[in-house]
Amino acid sequence: MQDCIFCKIAGHEINARFVHETDELAAFQDLNPQAPTHIIIIPKKHIARLSEAAEEEIPLLGRLQYAAREIAEKLGVADNFRLVANNGRKAGQSVDHLHYHLLAGRKMNWPPG
Ligand code: AMP
Ligand code: ZN
């Protein structure tokens, strides 16, 4: 999608520090990390948010979650990490392209606020 920053990262039109990539998904370092490990995991296909995902995208959603598990292992944080999807402005979503935050390397609080 035009003017979508994560579509541009997925298409290698703008740079990011990739940690994982397949034909259908990408993962890269967050520009403004909120934890020692902060990775953004996206589908390359533009889906604005989880609430707009279609039933036919269930396999893709599963692979995104499995990618989080693989990346956590690769980065040595598989024992303690948090996976977050902010869905909508009031929930903290600022980029309208579905993404999961993989956060690790510090104590996480609950509730997240
Ligand atoms: P959210 O607020 O849940 O929509 O998360 C968007 C995240 O994307 C934030 O943590 C930003 O720091 C991150 N972000 C925005 N632009 C970039 C970029 N060009 N490269 C890497 N991370 C980015
Ligand atoms: Zn997009």
Side-chain angles (χ1 to χ4, degrees):
M1 192 195 209
Q2 230 181 344
D3 295 332
C4 171
I5 193 152
F6 285 177
C7 281
K8 286 182 179 163
I9 290 175
H12 294 270
E13 288 171 56
I14 61 172
N15 287 331
R17 293 165 64 201
F18 281 76
V19 296
H20 185 74
E21 187 176 16
T22 70
D23 285 352
E24 60 180 358
L25 60 90
F28 50 88
Q29 308 270 5
D30 196 292
L31 211 53
N32 182 25
Q34 301 301 314
T37 298
H38 188 171
I39 305 298
I40 298 288
I41 307 169
I42 62 167
K44 290 189 173 178
K45 176 178 181 179
H46 184 88
I47 300 167
R49 54 190 55 79
L50 189 56
S51 59
E52 293 187 17
E55 194 172 355
E56 68 192 31
E57 287 153 349
I58 289 173
L60 173 61
L61 296 174
R63 283 192 282 276
L64 282 164
Q65 196 163 321
Y66 195 77
R69 174 245 186 276
E70 289 182 310
I71 294 161
E73 186 155 331
K74 185 170 158 182
L75 299 183
V77 298
D79 53 344
N80 286 288
F81 66 86
R82 183 172 285 176
L83 192 63
V84 177
N86 296 325
N87 187 99
R89 286 286 173 275
K90 281 195 241 172
Q93 184 176 12
S94 62
V95 177
D96 287 337
H97 179 125
L98 174 63
H99 54 280
Y100 293 89
H101 298 257
L102 173 61
L103 297 148
R106 65 165 169 83
K107 172 90 171 64
M108 302 288 167
N109 298 317
W110 194 262

